Amino acid sequence: MNRRLLTVALATLCVSSSPAQTRSSTPETSTTPIVLHAARLLDIEAGRIVQPGEVLIEAERIREAGASVTHPAGAQVLDLGDTTLMPGMIDAHVHLFLHPGAEDLQTVEESVPQRTILATLAARDDLMAGFTAERDMGTEGAGSADTAVRNAINQGLIPGPRLRISGNAIDIVGGHEDANNFNPEQHVLSNATYANNTADIVSAIREQFKQGSDFVKMYETGRDLLRDGQFSTPYQYSEQELAAAVQEAGRVGKKVAVHATGEPGTLYAVQAGVASVDHAFQLSDQTMRLMREKQIPAVPTFTIIEYFADHAATPAAAQRERAMLDFHAQQFKKQLASGIPFAMGSDVGPFPHGTQAREFVLMVQYGMTPLAALQADLLNGAKLLGWEGQIGTLKPGYYADVIAVAGNPLQDISATEHVSFVMKNGVVYRR
């Protein structure tokens, strides 16, 4: 199936089954001004709730936001009742091409067209849950298929968040996502793109950018081990190799993000100047100092570990995952005290898409205030995804990515799990 036919097939298959939730399969921005009215509005920069709250949208942009706005003649007024208006949420670590189940088997058994169709359904579910922007951290063997998904979303063919995509992650032979547990004689391919030295890394990056990737995802650590309270994980790339990746991406104005759970890989990544340290189970004092100085955010991804613990195959496996989650939570408290920046990323995919607001609940449970968690998501997330000044805040001139949640998220962060209204780019997708 060629890419054009696949895109048409995806557009047909991925219209929401609930007509009340989507405007149409190919939504168009309204030419009529829209006024959103609700009991409250989150001013994320000021860190306060405005009561009541209104937002004026013209085409795909916000024109006014506050306690009251201009109501132009002929404007459509949507009264969203006892809810809080807030910017669309941002997930900085998703896997659209994964779903619950054995990751290694689904990437081998399912065809790329099948996985691409599933990815479009995942994108729709995330959007309906209020996530209007995401960073897809690897297609796990589906190559540049996420380019087709991103482009179909941008063209209005299918519903989904704004996307920054990486294509396949980059990994060493025998690394974190290699097919290490299969029969070697079967030569099962890695979920990632092999790059064993600097020349390989540069070549892989150039090929991915040719295919349309927005940034680079690299595996820097794995496999993780926690024994007697001591965490260890082998690094995969040296500081010099990571620096070469950062330089090559920077040559065309792009960035490198890393899967990096612990030392010394996390230090090498920060010294090289990566965009973010994703997972960040263990960070040394030196690493945290550099992250603070360079303003490199950690992306904790608690939800995936909790899910693995709750759905482990054996009690022993569940105990290992719980121990890892407890260790991560304790380290997170140290990271908060150090003053490093954070962004919100859930690692959704191995757990069901559309449920990742659970990450906010865990970030607060483990030490953040609700406001700090939301600012990490909306302000730092917008910057990390390269949309600073365009999304993440309800301000004039920003894209009209607006959601409504039940209750007050600054008092109860679980309000983010109860989204009743979704607008992206001035188009209503859920009401």
Side-chain angles (χ1 to χ4, degrees):
M1 184 181 294
N2 66 37
R3 180 171 293 180
R4 179 174 177 80
L5 289 177
L6 177 60
T7 300
V8 173
L10 298 180
T12 302
L13 287 168
C14 294
V15 178
S16 170
S17 60
S18 172
Q21 286 191 336
T22 57
R23 197 171 187 166
S24 71
S25 59
T26 55
E28 297 180 357
T29 303
S30 173
T31 57
T32 302
I34 298 174
V35 175
L36 305 178
H37 177 89
R40 295 167 297 277
L41 178 145
L42 174 62
D43 182 342
I44 189 64
E45 291 182 317
R48 65 190 181 97
I49 293 291
V50 176
Q51 300 185 71
E54 290 191 337
V55 181
L56 169 63
I57 294 105
E58 293 180 356
E60 75 278 7
R61 300 280 181 172
I62 296 171
R63 296 306 173 198
E64 296 180 37
S68 63
V69 299
T70 304
H71 288 222
Q76 180 184 10
V77 179
L78 302 181
D79 190 341
L80 303 178
D82 187 20
T83 63
T84 299
L85 295 171
M86 58 179 282
M89 295 181 287
I90 301 167
D91 194 331
H93 193 125
V94 309
H95 293 279
L96 291 176
F97 285 77
L98 291 179
H99 56 80
E103 291 180 38
D104 52 355
L105 289 179
Q106 63 189 255
T107 61
V108 172
E109 296 175 346
E110 297 170 2
S111 69
V112 171
Q114 179 184 358
R115 296 183 64 216
T116 305
I117 290 170
L118 293 174
T120 66
L121 298 176
R124 180 201 62 187
D125 289 345
D126 289 354
L127 177 64
M128 296 306 172
F131 288 87
T132 56
E134 294 183 332
R135 190 176 60 155
D136 192 3
M137 297 287 284
T139 52
E140 286 75 37
S144 61
D146 55 354
T147 303
V149 174
R150 180 199 61 197
N151 293 349
I153 291 171
N154 290 346
Q155 293 164 17
L157 296 175
I158 57 175
R162 303 177 188 278
L163 288 178
R164 298 298 193 195
I165 60 169
S166 68
N168 276 346
I170 295 175
D171 196 9
I172 61 172
V173 171
H176 176 69
E177 277 297 312
D178 204 350
N180 294 322
N181 297 321
F182 290 93
N183 176 4
E185 299 305 316
Q186 293 300 316
H187 304 289
V188 177
L189 297 176
S190 172
N191 286 339
T193 296
Y194 288 135
N196 286 313
N197 51 53
T198 298
D200 287 352
I201 292 168
V202 171
S203 178
I205 289 173
R206 290 177 179 175
E207 180 62 29
Q208 290 186 357
F209 287 165
K210 175 184 176 180
Q211 295 176 359
S213 295
D214 298 312
F215 69 99
V216 178
K217 156 75 177 293
M218 300 181 71
Y219 286 112
E220 171 56 2
T221 63
R223 184 173 183 178
D224 303 332
L225 178 65
L226 183 64
R227 179 177 295 167
D228 298 328
Q230 297 298 312
F231 180 84
S232 62
T233 184
Y235 74 90
Q236 299 186 178
Y237 294 110
S238 67
E239 177 192 345
Q240 292 74 24
E241 289 169 327
L242 289 173
V246 170
Q247 180 178 3
E248 178 58 29
R251 183 178 64 82
V252 290
K254 298 183 180 182
K255 297 181 179 180
V256 175
V258 291
H259 167 117
T261 54
E263 300 293 344
T266 45
L267 176 60
Y268 296 163
V270 171
Q271 288 173 327
V274 299
S276 64
V277 176
D278 290 59
H279 307 303
F281 294 176
Q282 176 199 51
L283 302 173
S284 69
D285 290 343
Q286 181 183 5
T287 300
M288 289 188 286
R289 176 180 58 79
L290 289 172
M291 291 176 72
R292 187 173 61 249
E293 291 174 357
K294 296 184 177 185
Q295 286 298 288
I296 297 174
V299 184
T301 66
F302 291 115
T303 310
I304 188 67
I305 316 173
E306 181 187 64
Y307 182 85
F308 286 158
D310 291 343
H311 296 81
T314 66
Q319 185 177 10
R320 287 194 298 271
E321 295 291 348
R322 285 289 173 193
M324 190 69 77
L325 183 58
D326 290 344
F327 175 81
H328 190 10
Q330 291 303 315
Q331 293 293 308
F332 181 63
K333 291 178 171 61
K334 296 179 182 178
Q335 294 166 17
L336 285 171
S338 76
I340 66 171
F342 291 91
M344 183 280 204
S346 68
D347 212 357
V348 69
F351 68 92
H353 281 276
T355 68
Q356 64 260 51
R358 174 67 178 168
E359 186 71 18
F360 290 112
V361 176
L362 294 177
M363 291 170 79
V364 170
Q365 179 178 321
Y366 296 137
M368 267 191 166
T369 65
L371 175 60
L374 289 167
Q375 288 179 332
D377 179 56
L378 299 171
L379 303 181
N380 294 349
K383 182 177 181 180
L384 181 58
L385 271 62
W387 281 311
E388 186 178 19
Q390 301 179 76
I391 64 171
T393 306
L394 301 180
K395 290 176 65 174
Y398 280 55
Y399 285 117
D401 294 359
V402 188
I403 66 173
V405 301
N408 180 343
L410 296 189
Q411 295 178 349
D412 181 1
I413 194 63
S414 69
T416 56
E417 298 180 290
H418 304 286
V419 174
S420 58
F421 174 86
V422 177
M423 169 185 279
K424 191 196 82 173
N425 215 42
V427 176
V428 177
Y429 285 88
R430 177 174 184 175
R431 186 183 177 193

